[in-house]
């Protein structure tokens, strides 16, 4: 059987409800794992049921999908596309200093305003992906920084505390003081502290303390606040950097610390000291992950719905959202996701979501349905999902995932795209072993996908 006759594609679009995760559960390492022994994903089924009820009897303006009629005739060989989709609205180098352009308080005039994100976090069988998120070997800020390296040697430390207010959905960063920082000008500095909630480096994410004049031991006692949902914190990194304010020139970098919020001990709200670190200049190509992708997947065997329907097995991929998308330039981006069921990589097999603009945590809420499957085909096939950044007229791929058995072969032939990771294989295996049940997964958007020939 030719691999290119696998699929007969349709696309459906469903609404989802936001799923927030309690703070204690999120940061005490509690995870819901996808069952390998036939347990159902009741939460996904409940959400789909709620979605269908909303679609049939929702308020005015809610999304109502156009039904796709099934045909009773035998499945046509090859691929035919039916669409009923509508949009819902080398080297590393350590710095001995770093300078930046003069700071201006232009937040009110900035066009880089990040939209309020509705972000949920539910882990699948990929345990390691959630714990690590996307971590960088070095400073994330170095990916986005511009300017020349200076001659100031980084030293000293900073004291701060982190508190998350669940009622206000607010991250509170209290900056207490710095100690023994470097002198930028003749045994003096005019330091201030600047923070970003990475990977967002827009003016919306930038917060600053007051400037303290002529001191190497500044005291701030200021609280910087971020409105952010609890489910989004795991995929964020807090960057605190210290700068010397230079009114008539470039501000001078004096050091920084970065806090991976998914690993922070939220039970402790006491002030913490951390040593300031020099900035590490990274090659963007060295980044192993560009964020997280959240999805649910299931296989519906032929004839399961009764009356001989569906005529062949169906593969459902519910692409919910992405978290912490990391572009080379940082900040908010316009993104979309493409899907293919390999070995068929034709345009008819390829589908894509709508473009979600100006977001590092885009909600796609898009379901791809591929039919024409037999159970045996799943062992030879691969579901490839790639995340793209729309930058001008030419989109750029950020990374993706491949769900398969990862054997390196398809229908007896060696193929480069059967390169699934252990976590991806676990999701695909769980789907096959639990037919007609949703399998929830959160996977790393990896950048090392082996290139395949079209």
């Amino acid at each position: 059987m030719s691999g290119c006759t696998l699929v007969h594609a349709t696309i459906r679009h469903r609404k989802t409800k936001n799923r927030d995760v309690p703070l204690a559960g999120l940061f005490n390492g509690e995870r819901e794992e996808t069952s390998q022994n036939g347990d159902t994903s009741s939460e996904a089924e409940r959400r789909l049921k709620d979605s269908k009820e909303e679609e049939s009897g929702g308020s005015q303006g809610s999304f109502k999908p156009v039904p796709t009629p099934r045909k009773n005739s035998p499945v046509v060989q090859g691929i035919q596309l039916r669409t009923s989709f509508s949009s819902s609205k080398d080297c590393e180098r350590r710095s001995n200093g770093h300078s930046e352009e003069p700071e201006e308080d232009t937040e009110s005039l900035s066009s880089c305003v990040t939209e309020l994100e509705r972000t949920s976090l539910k882990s699948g069988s990929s345990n390691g992906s959630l714990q690590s998120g996307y971590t960088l070997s070095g400073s994330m800020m170095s990916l986005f920084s511009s300017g020349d390296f200076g001659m100031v040697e980084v030293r000293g430390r900073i004291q701060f505390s982190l508190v998350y207010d669940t009622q206000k959905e607010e991250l509170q960063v209290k900056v207490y003081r710095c100690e023994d920082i470097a002198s930028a000008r003749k045994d003096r500095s005019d330091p201030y502290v600047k923070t970003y909630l990475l990977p967002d480096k827009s003016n919306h994410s930038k917060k600053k303390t007051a400037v303290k004049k002529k001191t190497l031991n500044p005291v701030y006692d200021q609280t910087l606040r971020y409105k952010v949902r609890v489910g989004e914190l795991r995929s964020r990194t807090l960057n605190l950097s210290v700068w010397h304010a230079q009114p008539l020139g470039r501000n001078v970098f004096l050091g920084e610390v970065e806090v991976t919020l998914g690993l922070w001990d939220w039970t402790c709200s006491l002030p913490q000291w951390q040593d300031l670190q020099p900035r590490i200049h990274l090659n963007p190509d060295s980044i192993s992950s560009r964020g997280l992708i959240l999805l649910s997947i299931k296989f519906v065997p032929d004839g399961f719905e009764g009356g001989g329907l569906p005529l062949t097995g169906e593969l459902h991929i519910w692409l919910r959202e992405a978290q912490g998308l990391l572009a080379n330039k940082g900040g908010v981006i316009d993104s979309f996701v493409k899907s293919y069921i390999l070995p068929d990589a034709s345009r008819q097999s390829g589908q894509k979501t709508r473009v979600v603009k100006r977001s590092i945590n885009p909600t796609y809420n898009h379901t791809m349905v591929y039919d024409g499957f037999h159970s045996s085909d799943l062992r030879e096939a691969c579901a490839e999902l790639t995340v793209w950044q729309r930058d001008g007229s030419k989109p750029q791929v950020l990374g993706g995932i491949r769900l398969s058995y990862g054997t390196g072969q398809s229908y007896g032939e060696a193929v480069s795209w059967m390169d699934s990771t252990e976590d991806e294989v676990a999701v695909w295996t769980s789907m096959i072993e639990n037919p007609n049940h949703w399998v929830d997964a959160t996977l790393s958007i990896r950048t090392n996908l082996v290139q395949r020939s079209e």
Side-chain angles (χ1 to χ4, degrees), residues 270-291:
L270 298 176
Q272 305 287 319
W273 284 101
Q274 287 199 19
D275 292 337
L276 293 173
Q277 301 294 324
R279 183 157 292 175
I280 299 173
H281 188 65
L282 293 178
N283 184 342
D285 294 336
S286 68
I287 305 305
S288 61
S289 175
R290 292 286 179 177

Side-chain angles (χ1 to χ4, degrees), residues 219-394:
V219 177
Y220 300 103
D221 286 332
Q222 284 185 247
T223 300
L224 309 177
R225 304 173 189 275
Y226 288 94
K227 287 291 186 180
V228 57
R229 290 185 179 273
V230 62
E232 189 180 334
L233 283 180
R234 183 184 291 276
S235 63
R236 295 298 196 103
T237 296
L238 178 68
N239 177 275
L240 303 97
S241 54
V242 183
W243 297 80
H244 164 74
Q246 187 74 13
L248 300 179
R250 290 177 179 268
N251 296 332
V252 180
F253 175 75
L254 301 178
E256 70 177 359
V257 298
E258 287 190 344
V259 180
T260 303
L261 297 182
L263 303 178
W264 185 258
D265 181 7
W266 295 93
T267 62
C268 179
S269 59
L270 298 176
Q272 305 287 319
W273 284 101
Q274 287 199 19
D275 292 337
L276 293 173
Q277 301 294 324
R279 183 157 292 175
I280 299 173
H281 188 65
L282 293 178
N283 184 342
D285 294 336
S286 68
I287 305 305
S288 61
S289 175
R290 292 286 179 177
L292 300 173
I293 192 165
L294 282 71
L295 58 89
S296 297
I297 188 169
K298 74 174 177 179
F299 177 66
V300 181
D302 57 286
F304 184 87
E305 297 178 3
L309 296 176
L311 297 177
T312 59
E314 293 181 345
L315 178 63
H316 296 238
I317 303 174
W318 178 11
L319 180 60
R320 303 198 302 271
E321 59 191 296
Q323 291 182 353
L325 290 184
L326 179 61
N328 286 339
K329 296 180 181 179
V332 293
I333 62 175
D334 300 345
S335 67
F336 62 94
V337 178
K338 287 183 180 180
S339 71
Y340 289 95
I341 302 298
L342 306 174
D344 187 353
S346 68
R347 287 188 176 182
Q348 290 176 301
S349 168
Q351 305 299 334
K352 65 179 182 179
T353 69
R354 66 188 177 96
V355 176
V356 179
K357 295 183 178 181
R358 304 192 62 76
S359 176
I360 61 171
N361 298 287
T363 298
Y364 303 109
N365 191 21
H366 187 99
T367 302
M368 294 90 165
V369 180
Y370 292 92
D371 60 20
F373 279 95
H374 297 287
S375 297
S376 58
D377 294 326
L378 296 176
R379 300 181 178 276
E380 312 296 336
C382 171
E384 178 188 82
L385 301 174
T386 50
V387 183
W388 294 74
Q389 175 185 3
R390 192 178 68 175
D391 187 9
S393 59
K394 187 176 181 181

